[in-house]
């Protein structure tokens, strides 16, 4: 079986676009990243500007130079594709469409997004609105270049997507029409109640994922430790080894044949100096190989 050398394992972080989108690639390269996640615009504003031809060209050029692969966009936190407020839903769909257009212009591999929140409505109605919102995007993803990844959430407040069943519900109803997939966030997974502290815990959680969603739909990991306990449904990221999940979990994630080659993006506190160390550490963990 082909085993990727550790220097080629896809490990990176959410880098900054201050100074232009291409800057995220340069920052990624400077911390030893082989992949990155970025925002394609200011994530706190509804209005966003389009990507110019020059920007797109420059981005592709720098991407080739830095050899950074599988670039992932994290969509705006304002977007709620399951919103029960008609005005908010309209704005969310519009903003998500724009996100797809910008990401496609840059030639990105993935758009990671939070499924939505039910705020004052039932979970079922929210899930159906998310499905409907996604199906409206069909013509924008027709070339199949950019894949839409549902991010597993911590289940904070009324947010949807912390149980595998919810993610499966959305996936089952959209995957025939759209390039879909899942991004598992280790902190969210843990806070949602899926224990991943030991190899046994990880195997049990991944088996459950496979049974309910299907492991072939897993395209990415957000790698974060957690300040809060398992099942707390509180989303607070911690540096690797400094939270309640602990290093044993990340060692296994990097060495297990099922998860080793899947792209990984850090969203831990501390910025570049910390990510530099964490990327190096994760690569070292990748020296081991567990079947
Ligand atoms: Zn995340
Ligand atoms: Zn989070």
């Amino acid at each position: 079986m082909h085993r990727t050398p550790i220097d080629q394992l896809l490990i990176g972080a959410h880098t900054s676009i201050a100074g232009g989108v291409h800057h995220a690639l340069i920052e990624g390269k400077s911390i030893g990243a082989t992949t990155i996640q970025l925002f394609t615009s200011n994530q706190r504003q509804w209005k966003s500007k389009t990507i110019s031809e020059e920007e797109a060209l420059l981005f592709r050029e720098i991407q080739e130079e830095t050899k950074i692969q599988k670039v992932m966009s994290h969509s705006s936190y304002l977007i709620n594709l399951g919103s029960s407020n008609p005005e908010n839903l309209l704005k969310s769909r519009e903003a998500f469409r724009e996100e797809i257009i910008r990401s496609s212009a840059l030639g990105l591999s993935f758009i990671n997004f939070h499924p939505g929140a039910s705020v004052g409505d039932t979970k079922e109605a929210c899930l159906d609105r998310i499905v409907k919102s996604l199906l409206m995007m069909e013509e924008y993803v027709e070339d199949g270049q950019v894949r839409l990844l549902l991010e597993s959430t911590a289940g904070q407040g009324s947010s949807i997507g912390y149980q595998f069943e919810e993610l499966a519900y959305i996936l089952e109803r959209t995957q025939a029409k759209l390039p879909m997939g899942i991004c598992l966030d280790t902190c969210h997974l843990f806070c949602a109640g899926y224990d991943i502290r030991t190899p046994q815990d990880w195997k049990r959680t991944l088996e459950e994922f496979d049974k309910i969603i299907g492991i072939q739909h897993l395209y990415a990991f957000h790698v974060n430790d957690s300040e809060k306990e398992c099942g707390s449904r509180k989303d607070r990221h911690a540096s690797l080894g400094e939270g309640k999940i602990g290093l044993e979990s990340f060692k296994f994630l990097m060495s297990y044949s099922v998860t080793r080659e899947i792209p990984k993006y850090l969203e831990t506190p501390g910025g570049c100096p910390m990510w530099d160390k964490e990327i190096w550490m994760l690569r070292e963990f990748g020296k081991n190989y567990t079947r």
Side-chain angles (χ1 to χ4, degrees):
M1 194 185 146
H2 174 73
R3 199 183 302 180
T4 306
I6 57 161
D7 60 327
Q8 285 167 38
L9 287 172
L10 296 178
I11 310 170
H14 186 120
T15 49
S16 165
I17 58 162
V21 272
H22 68 282
H23 183 265
L25 293 164
I26 297 169
E27 189 171 285
K29 184 77 184 169
S30 78
I31 54 169
T34 38
T35 185
I36 56 159
Q37 175 176 268
L38 47 69
F39 292 123
T40 61
S41 71
N42 187 330
Q43 81 281 11
R44 289 186 197 90
Q45 289 171 9
W46 281 110
K47 269 267 150 261
S48 58
K49 53 183 187 69
T50 51
I51 301 284
S52 71
E53 217 164 301
E54 289 82 8
E55 274 180 293
L57 263 166
L58 181 61
F59 188 87
R60 286 164 193 259
E61 232 176 81
I62 306 271
Q63 188 176 357
E64 215 168 292
E65 266 171 45
T66 55
K67 297 194 172 61
I68 290 196
Q69 297 173 57
K70 302 280 181 191
V71 178
M72 174 148 83
S73 161
H74 192 302
S75 82
S76 164
Y77 294 113
L78 299 173
I79 295 175
N80 179 4
L81 296 176
S83 178
S84 58
N85 175 311
E87 197 195 323
N88 189 267
L89 184 62
L90 204 70
K91 272 158 94 175
S92 293
R93 286 171 174 167
E94 181 62 36
F96 197 67
R97 195 177 301 127
E98 303 265 300
E99 175 65 59
I100 296 174
I101 294 168
R102 283 195 306 275
S103 297
S104 301
L106 295 171
L108 306 192
S109 300
F110 305 127
I111 296 173
N112 172 82
F113 66 104
H114 298 184
S118 60
V119 208
D121 199 359
T122 66
K123 187 173 94 174
E124 289 71 22
C126 180
L127 280 167
D128 286 332
R129 272 194 299 271
I130 295 168
V131 169
K132 198 168 167 203
S133 298
L134 287 170
L135 291 174
M136 291 169 83
M137 305 299 150
E138 197 181 342
E139 62 174 297
Y140 301 93
V141 290
E142 261 173 351
D143 60 358
Q145 199 195 54
V146 65
R147 189 170 287 278
L148 309 179
L149 303 187
L150 285 161
E151 178 172 9
S152 69
T153 66
Q156 199 162 278
S158 62
S159 70
I160 296 286
Y162 73 101
Q163 290 169 318
F164 292 161
E165 287 81 0
E166 296 168 354
L167 298 171
Y169 184 93
I170 301 168
L171 210 63
E172 277 162 18
R173 286 157 181 80
T174 53
Q175 60 178 349
K177 298 254 170 74
L178 306 157
M180 295 290 299
I182 305 286
C183 171
L184 283 180
D185 184 307
T186 54
C187 169
H188 301 177
L189 203 53
F190 184 68
C191 295
Y194 298 99
D195 206 346
I196 50 170
R197 280 175 285 199
T198 67
Q200 293 77 3
D201 296 331
W202 255 125
K203 282 185 179 168
R204 198 183 320 112
T205 293
L206 289 169
E207 271 164 28
E208 198 173 334
F209 182 92
D210 188 39
K211 201 175 76 195
I212 298 168
I213 299 177
I215 201 79
Q216 73 277 18
H217 297 299
L218 180 56
Y219 283 88
F221 278 104
H222 282 167
V223 182
N224 303 307
D225 209 325
S226 168
E227 271 187 30
K228 304 288 174 186
E229 294 291 351
C230 186
S232 62
R233 293 181 62 182
K234 291 233 161 55
D235 182 17
R236 301 277 183 283
H237 300 186
S239 295
L240 305 187
E242 286 173 25
K244 308 282 185 200
I245 299 177
L247 287 185
E248 194 190 356
S249 173
F250 301 109
K251 275 182 192 160
F252 183 75
L253 180 69
M254 286 312 305
S255 65
Y256 189 34
S257 59
V258 176
T259 53
R260 187 177 179 270
E261 324 274 325
I262 295 176
K264 299 180 184 73
Y265 309 81
L266 292 159
E267 295 174 326
T268 46
C272 286
M274 284 303 290
W275 295 332
D276 194 319
K277 286 182 199 149
E278 287 173 323
I279 290 170
W280 180 85
M281 181 173 74
L282 290 173
R283 264 187 224 298
E284 286 294 303
F285 291 165
K287 282 181 177 169
N288 295 315
Y289 195 78
T290 324
R291 253 179 228 291

